[in-house]
Amino acid sequence: MSAHVHVPKVNILVGVWASLIVLTILTTLISHVDLGAFNIVAALLIALVKASLVVWIFMGVRFTTSLTKLFVVAGIVWLGILILLTYSDYSSRHWTYHPQPWNKTKIPMFEK
Amino acid sequence: MADAVMPVAHEAISPEEEVYLKHHFATPGQQMDADTLGMWTFLITEVLFFGGMFASYAVYRNMYYGAFASTSRYMDVTLGAANTAVLICSSLTMAMSVRAAQLSKRAELIRYLILTMIFGAVFLGVKAFEYHSKYVEHLIPGLGFQYEQFPQYEHNAQILFFLYFAMTGMHAIHMIVGLGLLAWLVWGAYRNKFNSLYFSPVEMIGLYWHFVDIVWIFLFPLLYLIGDR
């Protein structure tokens, strides 16, 4: 058999499976407690940990080449750009005055 | 494999390996790395495809926070969590399938592939049941949508339900495609196509299956868990 094949150990795979199940139960339980704004943070953090476990162990990225790892990271970065730029547009729209018919427009710099 | 910067044909290639080596690759290792890199490139396009929907979810949730939070009362958290567990089990059996293929264990490979398909089918069955409940409860956006508990959100809550059906529907379509690919793998394994020298299709479809699992890992908290309950 070729030297480049990494056969994962069964106990590691089952361990990841058990962790994923425990994290699913945990995130469901946490959602029943009102933590205010922290609810979404906790839910997304747990989802992130679960996704990382799947990528690193189940998808075997730990055994892949540096080039594949770079691609995976690049994918995450591009997803970050997609969400960050979209979100920064929508969340900053009310920072500037809304265009209105010119006779109703009040431009702050001309008010004083 | 971190040192495989310049693939050179210095590895001794056995005649058995030669059978599975495409002529444009120097070594089996290079062929495997190329398969993996290509599959990941495809998966990254999938990440961005789903990412667009996740971004619109984030934007609308920020815009209509109350309406979005109110919808989680209509989601069945128990079913959602159970379905998450089912998908995680299918990911384990998929990983075990790849392992069985790597070790040339044909019977085990077929068994784990079929188990993966069963888990996938259970997931889709539960999803269909949930869709039916939404239909019965008049929660299909546009089609006689009724939101009597929160009449003030009747308009904006439909955006969430639209995203719910778009995202879980697109996820379900990926599952159906995955089931078709798994059936093809079972057929290949039945005809003894895969062994320790050639298991690339099992591993690549495995990557796809795990990716679909990851999408659900994010859909579950965003659609079912966060909100007012």
Side-chain angles (χ1 to χ4, degrees), chain A residues 40-92:
Chain A
I40 185 166
V41 178
L44 285 179
L45 268 182
I46 291 176
L48 216 58
V49 172
K50 286 165 74 180
S52 311
L53 277 173
V54 173
V55 168
W56 194 245
I57 314 277
F58 278 173
M59 298 174 94
V61 167
R62 65 192 169 135
F63 290 140
T64 57
T65 57
S66 307
L67 185 61
T68 305
K69 288 188 183 107
L70 181 66
F71 268 53
V72 175
V73 172
I76 297 165
V77 169
W78 277 109
L79 179 67
I81 292 171
L82 191 156
I83 290 176
L84 191 75
L85 288 190
T86 308
Y87 213 75
S88 61
D89 171 17
Y90 278 97
S91 60
S92 64

Side-chain angles (χ1 to χ4, degrees), chain A residues 1-2 4 6-8 10 13 17 20 24 27 31-32 40 47 55 59 61 65 67-68 71 79 82 87 90, chain B residues 17 29 33 37 40-41 44 51 55 58-59 62-63 88-89 92 99 102 196 207 210 214 217-218 225-226 229:
Chain A
M1 187 155 70
S2 342
H4 49 267
H6 294 273
V7 182
V10 176
L13 296 180
W17 169 81
L20 290 171
T24 303
T27 191
S31 78
H32 288 280
I40 185 166
V55 168
M59 298 174 94
V61 167
T65 57
L67 185 61
T68 305
F71 268 53
L79 179 67
L82 191 156
Y87 213 75
Y90 278 97
Chain B
E17 284 178 320
D33 292 344
L37 188 64
W40 268 104
T41 309
I44 289 164
V59 166
N62 193 34
M63 247 182 224
I88 289 169
C89 291
L92 174 68
R99 187 175 184 280
Q102 287 172 335
S196 61
L207 288 180
H210 293 310
I214 289 175
I217 283 174
F218 283 100
L225 293 183
I226 50 177
R229 264 189 289 119

